[in-house]
Amino acid sequence: MAHLRKSKSDSLLCDTEEVLLAHIKQGNHLTIALSGGIDSVVLLHVLATLSKQLQFTLSAVHVNHGISSNATLWSRFCCNLCHSSGISIYIAYLQIKKEAGISLEAIAREERYRIFGHIQADYVVLAQHLDDQAETLLLQLFRGAGVKGLSAMPFVRKQASDAAPQILRPLLEVSRNRIEAYARQNKLNWINDESNDSITFNRNFLRHEILPILRTRYPNYPKTLLRTSRHLSEASFLLDELAKIDSTRCLSSGKLQVESLRKLSFPRAKNLLRYTLLQHDITLPSTAKIESILNQLLSIGMDNQFHISLGDTEIRCYKGAIYMLPGKTPPQKPKQCVWHGETYLALQHLRGTIRFTQVKNQGISQQKILNAPVTVRSRSGGERFTPACNRPRRSLKNLLQESAIPPWERIAMPLLFCGEKLIWVPGIGIDCEFQVHSDEIGILPNWDPE
């Protein structure tokens, strides 16, 4: 019997080692997310055992959510556990507050991942396992998730920022029973979070009330559901591949085109819109919301200036092109800034910077701006401009429309004046009267919005 126990323990070590060898390199820094519960305590023990032979650095992070009255005791337990093993640990203290319409679980999870995103390591290692996979699939089913939401958790995934450590889950094919057996065999100590027993939480309701019944009829349901999740992961991958193909056909100058979307079937257009939102790091709204947005886009005319807010993002449409922009407050009241010859001029009220460089045969003639102050102003209406010397003087409004500069960019556009004469407009050019002559060193402005 003792030999059998040892074999099971070694088996878990070998399975974890196999995952690590497939994804990490010698010298990598792994930080385990240590809650103090049995899963993360077992993972800490396994990683500490493997760290020497696989030659990676191991540390820990414990997130104290401040929700339970026992939170301080759990933090102390994790500190003592790490110190006894010679592993450094960082404790992150949070103050979680309930928000209307958002579960406490979701808020806590979001805050944890925010912490993980700032950890200085190559990987943050989580102790999610085979049974967690099954529970997540069922929870997502009951939420009405699509194939992406029903896909299996990957062993490794990137976080939102490229600078953040990747998330690594080496126990995804290890059952809860094997983890518990390992803990007993190695005489490990762990804490019990009392909230894990509360069936007011959806996951705990499934775990304590539904899954024990399911197991009596389908004892291998975690592995079966993992197989289902992997099928859905493949389907999700194929939908993304289709969206990439459609994207090449529907993009022009990096923007989705409404006319091209109209040539796709509605499900295919919806798939492309969903994919594009994700490519812009936009949190996906509900299916109903995506369908509503798509219906509005497909029904607008070329002259319709479509505008919809989606969280911190604005979706706009101009001349049939779809823009996905970070939501911004309107520019502050227009100001007049004097340019004194600096190499750059930061314009906080317009959220950008004008950079000035000296270039031969290009730009503004330095001689022609000596006799009047040079100022930066916002549009007020009625400005006239002559960017081409062989063309008549025209209204700035018409020039901007012809250049297909969207209206929201025109509002935040800086204009350069010499005295009362408009001499430079970003994206349009320099007024004929102020352009350099041949062999002259000119000043070339460049507008760099945030």
Side-chain angles (χ1 to χ4, degrees):
M1 194 67 177
H3 176 71
L4 181 61
R5 288 197 198 101
K6 185 176 186 298
S7 296
K8 286 183 177 179
S9 180
D10 288 348
S11 172
L12 193 149
L13 277 169
C14 289
D15 288 351
T16 307
E17 180 182 15
E18 188 177 333
V19 175
L20 294 178
L21 285 171
H23 294 100
I24 72 168
K25 300 175 182 177
Q26 285 187 6
N28 276 166
H29 180 181
L30 277 59
T31 297
I32 176 175
L34 183 65
S35 67
I38 187 171
D39 302 335
S40 64
V41 166
V42 164
L43 182 57
L44 179 71
H45 189 273
V46 169
L47 293 177
T49 303
L50 294 173
S51 62
K52 296 180 179 61
Q53 65 191 73
L54 299 185
Q55 297 181 28
F56 59 83
T57 301
L58 180 62
S59 63
V61 57
H62 172 77
V63 180
N64 184 322
H65 297 96
I67 298 173
S68 171
S69 58
N70 294 314
T72 302
L73 294 175
W74 299 340
S75 296
R76 191 176 302 149
F77 170 84
C78 291
C79 284
N80 292 337
L81 182 62
C82 287
H83 292 162
S84 66
S85 304
I87 297 168
S88 64
I89 183 169
Y90 164 63
I91 309 294
Y93 292 93
L94 301 175
Q95 290 296 325
I96 304 294
K97 294 181 179 178
K98 184 75 173 72
E99 296 180 22
I102 307 176
S103 72
L104 203 60
E105 295 169 284
I107 297 170
R109 181 183 182 279
E110 184 176 331
E111 286 298 302
R112 278 198 304 277
Y113 277 90
R114 184 180 62 79
I115 295 296
F116 297 161
H118 292 89
I119 295 293
Q120 298 298 309
D122 296 296
Y123 296 92
V124 171
V125 193
L126 307 185
Q128 289 161 324
H129 49 72
L130 183 63
D131 296 72
D132 290 326
Q133 287 260 42
E135 291 166 5
T136 299
L137 172 62
L138 291 172
L139 286 169
Q140 291 290 75
L141 273 173
F142 295 139
R143 292 179 185 129
V147 290
K148 191 173 290 291
L150 296 171
S151 300
M153 289 184 278
F155 282 115
V156 174
R157 76 163 177 84
K158 292 183 177 181
Q159 296 198 72
S161 167
D162 289 338
Q166 297 186 77
I167 299 295
L168 173 63
R169 301 179 177 97
L171 302 182
L172 282 180
E173 295 187 0
V174 178
S175 70
R176 181 177 285 119
N177 286 341
R178 289 179 64 196
I179 289 171
E180 291 172 351
Y182 183 98
R184 289 192 300 269
Q185 291 159 20
N186 290 277
K187 297 181 172 59
L188 303 181
N189 296 313
W190 60 88
I191 60 171
N192 289 306
D193 183 344
E194 70 278 0
S195 70
N196 288 335
D197 298 324
S198 172
I199 61 172
T200 58
F201 296 110
N202 292 334
R203 185 178 291 272
N204 291 342
F205 176 75
L206 271 181
R207 183 179 299 169
H208 299 303
E209 299 289 324
I210 305 299
L211 295 179
I213 299 172
L214 199 63
R215 192 180 293 276
T216 61
R217 178 60 64 95
Y218 306 103
N220 291 321
Y221 78 84
K223 289 185 178 179
T224 305
L225 292 182
L226 174 61
R227 200 159 59 242
T228 298
S229 285
R230 285 180 172 162
H231 292 325
L232 290 162
S233 293
E234 287 185 7
S236 178
F237 177 81
L238 292 174
L239 285 172
D240 284 348
E241 289 283 289
L242 178 62
K244 289 177 187 176
I245 294 169
D246 289 339
S247 185
T248 60
R249 298 171 179 171
C250 297
L251 284 177
S252 177
S253 301
K255 305 287 187 301
L256 276 180
Q257 304 297 310
V258 172
E259 275 305 308
S260 298
L261 272 182
R262 288 181 178 139
K263 295 175 183 177
L264 300 176
S265 66
F266 190 83
R268 198 160 164 172
K270 185 170 68 172
N271 180 57
L272 177 54
L273 178 59
R274 184 187 292 112
Y275 174 81
T276 306
L277 291 171
L278 287 172
Q279 291 300 107
H280 285 79
D281 294 324
I282 299 169
T283 301
L284 288 182
S286 66
T287 299
K289 182 72 171 177
I290 290 179
E291 290 179 351
S292 172
I293 293 170
L294 182 58
N295 276 318
Q296 291 179 65
L297 285 170
L298 295 177
S299 64
I300 62 176
M302 286 293 289
D303 296 330
N304 189 304
Q305 293 180 18
F306 176 87
H307 176 207
I308 189 169
S309 294
L310 195 63
D312 296 329
T313 303
E314 292 180 346
I315 300 178
R316 292 179 177 268
C317 191
Y318 180 65
K319 292 188 178 295
I322 300 168
Y323 294 75
M324 298 189 184
L325 309 163
K328 295 180 179 179
T329 55
Q332 299 174 17
K333 188 176 180 180
K335 298 178 181 178
Q336 177 171 300
C337 301
V338 180
W339 180 59
H340 298 288
E342 304 95 325
T343 55
Y344 71 92
L345 194 60
L347 305 171
Q348 292 184 356
H349 65 295
L350 295 179
R351 296 185 296 269
T353 301
I354 303 177
R355 303 187 185 278
F356 300 88
T357 55
Q358 293 191 343
V359 184
K360 189 172 183 179
N361 295 327
Q362 289 187 59
I364 300 167
S365 170
Q366 298 183 60
Q367 296 298 318
K368 294 180 180 179
I369 58 173
L370 294 176
N371 299 323
V374 176
T375 57
V376 178
R377 308 176 195 173
S378 299
R379 285 188 67 204
S380 59
E383 297 90 355
R384 299 186 70 77
F385 194 56
T386 313
C389 295
N390 59 348
R391 301 288 299 275
R393 195 166 186 81
R394 303 181 58 200
S395 75
L396 178 58
K397 179 181 179 180
N398 288 339
L399 288 168
L400 291 171
Q401 288 175 341
E402 285 182 7
S403 298
I405 296 174
W408 59 89
E409 290 183 12
R410 300 175 206 166
I411 296 170
M413 180 179 287
L415 306 178
L416 206 62
F417 286 79
C418 181
E420 294 304 315
K421 293 183 177 180
L422 177 59
I423 64 172
W424 171 73
V425 180
I428 303 294
I430 296 164
D431 189 85
C432 173
E433 183 184 341
F434 289 85
Q435 294 173 10
V436 293
H437 296 300
S438 179
D439 293 329
E440 186 181 354
I441 300 295
I443 299 170
L444 190 65
N446 181 58
W447 171 233
D448 185 14
E450 290 179 358

